[in-house]
Amino acid sequence: MRTPEELGLVDWAELGHAFGSAAEVPHWVRALYGGDAAAADRAVDLLFDRALHQGAASSAGVAAVPYLAHAAVHGMHRRDRALAFIAGTGGTEEDCWYEEAWAAAELAGRARAAAELPLLLRLLGDADVEVRRQVVRVARWAAGESLPPAVTALTECFRADPSAWVRAEALEVLSRLDGRRGEVLRAALADPAPAVRATAALGLLEESELPYPAELLEVLLADGGDPAFRVVRDEWFPGVGSTESRVQHLLDADPDATRAAAAAWIAAGDHDARGTRRALRLAARWPGREAPALDLLVAALPHQHDGYWRANLLRGLAEGVARHPDPAALAAAVLPDTAHPDRRVAEPAQLLLGRTGDARLLTAVPDPAPAALDALAARTPTSRCAAAPSPRTAARATAPTAAPPTNSSTRSPPPTPPPCCPN
């Protein structure tokens, strides 16, 4: 480890990151020790954006590892993020297939992290659960010559950590370090924590052929809905991959398992939208299975309060409504969302009503989206005439216009009203 006072030992200006010279890196490192939490947040965001841009290690990022290791132990702010940076410098995959310079930087990053690991392993007893989790992730690439003490420390972490989330990640790393992956994972199938059992089942299923062993699928479906089994979109585990991408790759080969997972995880609360995602995947990937997928999305509606995923769920319903045997039931399910204050949520719900020809779009929705009105008009050509003017339409109608010509001979005759509208 190197202290902030030793930052001058490196010629940072001669090093590079994704956006050029690394001369500002010492300022970002020092911010982790200061009293300004907001400044520390900005500094660590810049470190990730520039010195570890899109997960690619840079020479500046590798050089920062010993200083960030010290900050993880002694800093005042974002110690977890300092550790996450160290874990990321080792790269995302086993084999570096891209530019040779990046591959060399990743190997150098793993070597630097390995040198810091013996002291970082002490943080497995830290009070901050996120600090402990990130130390586990550092150990994924950094074990190296410290393999025996790393395995010992991770084994104790897996046995005794109070967080099932940390224990599940410790299992993932342990199973990849000691050369007994299958044995370690199978033993964990009997663990008392659902997240640990689900992690073990996922790893074993990835090594299985189709048809997947029923007993392993049963564990994944039963325990994969647990909140501590983190199926988080876009959260990358260096050297392992995101749990979401692993689950998707596994279930994409088996539509029946996808449907069963969606049903089980929605019933368990649809944490992290994991059931919603499986139902959307079922509808998009396998023609002919849209109806059960849409029923699953309706079942997820009471659970899914996140605006982003609720909007995605409603878009899935709107896109597939024409292929459902009971469109009216879908319209009834989404009706409360048509007046949602978040337009991302309200507009797909309104579009679904329009596509089903549901006239409640005109009576229950204060200001229907134009696309929804267009869809309703396509189903019921008289609907536009019956619609009350929306606030935007009323504003346009009352806006001042240019004065009409005074010469009556140049006036155009009044337009003939459409057949559907009364004179």
Side-chain angles (χ1 to χ4, degrees):
M1 294 183 181
R2 285 186 172 177
T3 68
E5 292 73 25
E6 297 176 286
L7 282 162
L9 297 176
V10 176
D11 187 354
W12 297 98
E14 290 298 313
L15 299 179
H17 55 51
F19 294 86
S21 170
E24 66 272 43
V25 169
H27 304 292
W28 301 336
V29 173
R30 290 190 182 99
L32 302 180
Y33 295 87
D36 188 339
D41 285 341
R42 290 193 297 272
V44 80
D45 286 344
L46 286 166
L47 276 167
F48 271 91
D49 181 56
R50 301 187 180 185
L52 195 60
H53 184 65
Q54 296 182 349
S58 64
S59 59
V62 173
V65 166
Y67 300 96
L68 293 173
H70 188 276
V73 177
H74 301 287
M76 293 182 63
H77 304 290
R78 304 320 308 264
R79 296 185 303 125
D80 59 323
R81 295 284 282 159
L83 289 163
F85 185 98
I86 295 169
T89 58
T92 59
E93 302 290 349
E94 291 281 357
D95 297 314
C96 301
W97 50 268
Y98 34 83
E99 290 188 20
E100 185 175 343
W102 289 358
E106 288 186 359
L107 293 174
R110 295 177 195 181
R112 287 288 180 96
E116 306 300 333
L117 184 61
L119 291 176
L120 293 179
L121 287 173
R122 299 177 185 178
L123 293 176
L124 289 174
D126 196 88
D128 188 328
V129 63
E130 191 62 23
V131 166
R132 302 198 305 274
R133 188 171 77 97
Q134 294 300 337
V135 174
V136 169
R137 292 184 167 211
V138 170
R140 168 66 186 100
W141 284 134
E145 296 180 359
S146 302
L147 181 60
V151 170
T152 299
L154 289 171
T155 300
E156 178 60 19
C157 173
F158 173 66
R159 186 190 69 80
D161 197 280
S163 167
W165 187 15
V166 174
R167 293 187 61 238
E169 297 211 348
L171 172 67
E172 189 66 68
V173 174
L174 271 173
S175 71
R176 295 168 185 267
L177 290 184
D178 71 352
R180 300 179 297 122
R181 180 165 170 77
E183 180 182 342
V184 170
L185 294 177
R186 285 205 169 273
L189 291 173
D191 194 90
V196 172
R197 297 195 299 266
T199 298
L202 175 60
L204 291 168
L205 283 164
E206 287 177 316
E207 298 181 353
S208 303
E209 301 289 338
L210 287 170
Y212 295 133
E215 68 276 11
L216 295 178
L217 270 177
E218 182 180 345
V219 174
L220 182 63
L221 301 187
D223 297 326
D226 187 80
F229 178 63
R230 298 281 288 185
V231 186
V232 181
R233 181 173 175 264
D234 296 335
E235 183 186 84
W236 195 263
F237 190 152
V240 174
S242 73
T243 307
E244 161 61 16
S245 64
R246 294 170 62 201
V247 167
Q248 177 170 301
H249 185 266
L250 179 80
L251 295 181
D252 269 357
D254 188 339
D256 292 326
T258 297
R259 179 178 177 179
W265 298 346
I266 288 170
D270 200 27
H271 301 289
D272 307 319
R274 64 192 68 175
T276 291
R277 280 179 274 169
R278 302 284 72 75
L280 289 170
R281 191 72 175 173
L282 182 68
R285 187 172 176 84
W286 288 285
R289 294 178 181 261
E290 294 90 351
L294 297 179
D295 290 335
L296 288 166
L297 291 176
V298 170
L301 270 171
H303 301 297
Q304 196 44 254
H305 304 294
D306 176 82
Y308 174 83
W309 280 111
R310 193 170 185 88
N312 276 344
L313 187 161
L314 289 164
R315 279 196 293 271
L317 287 170
E319 290 169 4
V321 65
R323 295 183 291 279
H324 193 273
D326 189 3
L330 300 189
V334 308
L335 185 63
D337 282 303
T338 58
H340 197 284
D342 186 341
R343 293 197 68 84
R344 296 177 306 167
V345 174
E347 290 184 355
Q350 295 170 12
L351 182 60
L352 189 150
L353 258 63
R355 288 177 173 174
T356 59
D358 194 319
R360 286 177 292 185
L361 180 66
L362 306 174
T363 58
V365 182
D367 186 16
L373 289 173
D374 290 342
L376 182 63
R379 290 293 304 270
T380 53
T382 63
S383 60
R384 278 187 179 275
C385 302
S390 71
R392 286 183 295 182
T393 304
R396 288 196 297 269
T398 58
T401 58
T406 57
N407 184 346
S408 60
S409 64
T410 63
R411 292 177 183 169
S412 301
T416 302
C420 63
C421 299
N423 290 314

